[in-house]
Amino acid sequence: NETNNDRANDWNNDGVADLTHIVLPVENLDVTAFNVPPTATFGNSVDLNWIVKNVGSGTTAATAWYDQVWLSADNTLNTSTDYNLGIVYRSGALAPLAQYIASQTFNLPLSSSFTTGTYYFIVKTDTYGNAPETSETDNVEVSGPVTITVPPVPNITISNVVFDPVNTFTNQNVSITFTANNIGSDATTGNFHNRVWLSTDTSLNTNADIMLA
């Protein structure tokens, strides 16, 4: 029969065998600097650069990873709501206390979702977790406040739509007139096209409505 001492020895043997295979990461990537302009304009490009340093005691096990940059309305990273500007590929292992400078030109969005105001750029090194680290808390760096303005843009509106005759039949020609006004703060450039649809309601549905012109 197996004695208590035999079972204890078996447990010790198993425990030692498992522990000898545990390898803890000793590298630690840290974004130590993030340089951004004080002002920018939506619809234009912006040049950003940042420094990533291995503050750990060992060379990174990974030889490649990705840095990611967001545009945020506050100084807290929220990948669900912040605007993803892009991802930058990093190639090469990083020795202890070694660092690299990453730089990239990003295009700022121009849409009705963004208004003139204060924004923040946020960068995260090793965004996909390719490099095992002793700490992930210093992978993110937030810039200082940046004033980003919406440039003057045109804004075309349609009014005074007249459908003549009001009552018509299939295959009958009709006359449709309307007025296009630019109520924006800048002139239009180049040419643009107007489209006319026939709809059974007052909401445009390009998948269901019939395009006439």
Side-chain angles (χ1 to χ4, degrees):
N1 294 334
E2 187 179 29
T3 65
N4 289 336
N5 287 336
D6 292 333
R7 286 194 294 271
N9 289 334
D10 290 342
W11 183 90
N12 287 336
N13 289 340
D14 291 341
V16 171
D18 290 338
L19 290 175
T20 56
H21 288 83
I22 295 177
V23 178
L24 297 177
V26 291
E27 63 266 34
N28 184 20
L29 299 176
D30 181 12
V31 182
T32 59
F34 192 18
N35 299 310
V36 305
T39 61
T41 304
F42 285 114
N44 290 354
S45 61
V46 61
D47 296 324
L48 309 179
N49 66 77
W50 57 95
I51 299 175
V52 177
K53 185 176 183 179
N54 180 7
V55 297
S57 59
T59 300
T60 58
T63 57
W65 55 87
Y66 297 87
D67 297 344
Q68 189 167 3
V69 179
W70 291 266
L71 177 66
S72 177
D74 54 43
N75 58 2
T76 301
L77 176 60
N78 185 334
T79 58
S80 299
T81 58
D82 294 340
Y83 184 85
N84 174 29
L85 288 174
I87 295 175
V88 178
Y89 177 69
R90 157 68 189 180
S91 177
L94 207 59
L97 303 183
Q99 64 183 29
Y100 66 88
I101 300 176
S103 60
Q104 185 69 31
T105 300
F106 297 99
N107 294 320
L108 295 179
L110 179 60
S111 74
S112 58
S113 300
F114 296 93
T115 59
T116 295
T118 300
Y119 294 85
Y120 299 82
F121 294 104
I122 302 177
V123 60
K124 180 179 181 180
T125 190
D126 188 28
T127 189
Y128 297 133
N130 299 99
E133 300 180 59
T134 56
S135 175
E136 302 282 349
T137 59
D138 47 11
N139 285 25
V140 175
E141 184 70 15
V142 182
S143 75
V146 178
T147 300
I148 306 182
T149 57
V150 175
V153 292
N155 183 11
I156 306 299
T157 63
I158 300 297
S159 60
N160 302 324
V161 179
V162 177
F163 190 87
D164 184 40
V166 175
N167 298 313
T168 187
F169 302 94
T170 303
N171 295 326
Q172 180 181 351
N173 291 330
V174 295
S175 173
I176 302 174
T177 61
F178 55 88
T179 302
N181 291 306
N182 180 9
I183 62 173
S185 54
D186 197 14
T188 61
T189 58
N191 300 319
F192 58 89
H193 299 276
N194 298 310
R195 296 291 188 189
V196 178
W197 282 267
L198 180 64
S199 177
T200 58
D201 54 41
T202 58
S203 298
L204 175 62
N205 183 338
T206 57
N207 294 320
D209 296 340
I210 301 172
M211 188 173 68
L212 299 178

